[in-house]
């Protein structure tokens, strides 16, 4: 079974055709538990997310701030396995029909087996992988496996990336480019800043791929601000926080669904 790279591309193109940015939501698998996590990611789509990212919890998440680290720790302490992450992708895609990406650091993929991971993710209906710590120079084995199985390979670029580096990264990526809005880790912030707009401009000069901005977006106003210059707005920590702060799962799901709806209005307003 081929993965859903083409579905991802068509959903991003549809949003662009509607004159708006796509809303991309992130939650780690296994949080607050495996089944609850499936319901939570599904709730993001029900609320208005166009694309979702399922995180593969990691014990040393270099890009993730304290909110997502807390959720990862809860999942890992409960015994989460990669097969649970794949199941989450499969069940969310089956329930929603939305493109579902896996966001993961490289080590778990390498340990699981590159070909096996790509095949299992594609079989689950996954659309691709976001690999924040995989250097382009060392990515050929994964990219070849992903291409065989119809999966996107999404690389992360940062404000510190020089123009020549951006060109090197975007030349081999697929699906979209993940533009980190600032230097640092994930988390909600008061302002997304001008760095993100400059990074999107410089990235677009090197590629025709959509450029989606993440890190720091947590409310409709920020979503509208980013949507004015990016192809997609990525939100993670704010969704995780809704679940962490909720007194029970049902309240958390309502919070996630509500936030997705608010953010969806924000990205449309920013068009």
């Amino acid at each position: 079974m081929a993965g859903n790279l083409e579905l991802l591309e068509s959903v991003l193109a549809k949003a662009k055709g509607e004159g708006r940015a796509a809303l991309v939501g992130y939650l780690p698998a296994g949080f607050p538990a495996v089944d609850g996590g499936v319901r939570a990611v599904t709730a993001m789509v029900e609320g208005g997310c166009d694309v979702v990212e399922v995180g593969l919890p990691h014990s040393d998440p270099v890009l993730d701030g304290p909110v997502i680290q807390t959720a990862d720790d809860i999942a890992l302490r409960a015994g989460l396995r990669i097969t649970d992450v794949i199941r989450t992708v499969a069940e969310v895609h089956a329930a929603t029909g939305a493109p579902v990406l896996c966001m993961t650091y490289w080590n778990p993929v390498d340990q699981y087996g590159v070909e096996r991971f790509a095949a299992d993710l594609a079989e689950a209906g996954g659309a691709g992988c976001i690999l924040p710590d995989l250097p382009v120079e060392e990515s050929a084995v994964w990219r070849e496996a992903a291409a065989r199985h119809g999966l996107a390979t999404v690389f992360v670029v940062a404000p510190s990336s020089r123009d020549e580096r951006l060109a090197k990264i975007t030349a081999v990526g697929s699906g979209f480019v993940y533009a980190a809005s600032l230097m640092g880790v994930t988390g909600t912030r008061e302002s997304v800043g001008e760095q993100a707009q400059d990074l999107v401009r410089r990235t677009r000069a090197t590629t025709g791929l959509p450029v989606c901005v993440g890190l720091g977006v947590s409310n409709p106003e920020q979503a509208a601000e980013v949507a004015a210059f990016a192809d997609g707005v990525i939100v993670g920590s704010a969704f995780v926080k809704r679940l962490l702060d909720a007194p029970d799962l049902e309240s958390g799901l309502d919070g996630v669904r509500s936030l997705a709806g608010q953010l969806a209005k924000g990205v449309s307003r920013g068009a």
Side-chain angles (χ1 to χ4, degrees), residues 41-232:
V41 181
T42 300
M44 288 196 297
V45 180
E46 292 169 348
C49 285
D50 301 288
V51 178
V52 286
E53 303 172 8
V54 171
L56 196 163
H58 194 272
S59 57
D60 186 26
V62 294
L63 187 69
D64 298 316
V67 171
I68 292 176
Q69 285 184 31
T70 299
D72 280 2
D73 188 57
I74 290 169
L76 292 170
R77 286 177 184 273
L80 183 85
R81 296 289 180 264
I82 290 178
T83 50
D84 297 317
V85 179
I86 299 293
R87 176 163 78 85
T88 299
V89 171
E91 293 187 10
V92 170
H93 177 64
T96 65
V100 186
L101 295 124
C102 179
M103 185 163 187
T104 177
Y105 297 97
W106 177 244
N107 182 259
V109 177
D110 195 34
Q111 293 294 316
Y112 190 82
V114 175
E115 179 66 26
R116 178 186 172 204
F117 190 91
D120 287 358
L121 184 60
E123 183 67 27
C129 263
I130 302 167
L131 298 154
D133 67 338
L134 179 63
V136 170
E137 293 82 1
E138 299 171 20
S139 67
V141 171
W142 164 258
R143 287 188 286 109
E144 289 162 8
R148 279 196 298 275
H149 293 283
L151 297 170
T153 297
V154 179
F155 288 109
V156 178
V157 297
S160 61
S161 303
R162 296 179 181 274
D163 291 351
E164 58 267 28
R165 182 69 182 167
L166 290 175
K168 192 169 189 177
I169 292 170
T170 59
V172 295
S174 55
F176 64 90
V177 182
Y178 187 126
S181 66
L182 39 75
M183 301 304 295
V185 296
T186 58
T188 61
R189 288 176 171 80
E190 295 299 317
S191 173
V192 179
E194 294 180 5
Q195 282 186 322
Q197 189 166 0
D198 179 63
L199 177 58
V200 170
R201 178 189 59 77
R202 293 193 298 117
T203 303
R204 279 184 173 152
T206 71
T207 183
L209 289 172
V211 183
C212 301
V213 172
L215 272 66
V217 178
S218 61
N219 59 51
E221 292 71 32
Q222 291 173 335
E225 177 191 351
V226 174
F229 59 81
D231 299 298

Side-chain angles (χ1 to χ4, degrees), residues 223-250:
E225 177 191 351
V226 174
F229 59 81
D231 299 298
V233 179
I234 303 170
V235 181
S237 295
F239 282 118
V240 175
K241 200 166 188 311
R242 289 291 176 108
L243 289 171
L244 282 172
D245 292 348
D248 54 61
L249 177 60
E250 294 305 323

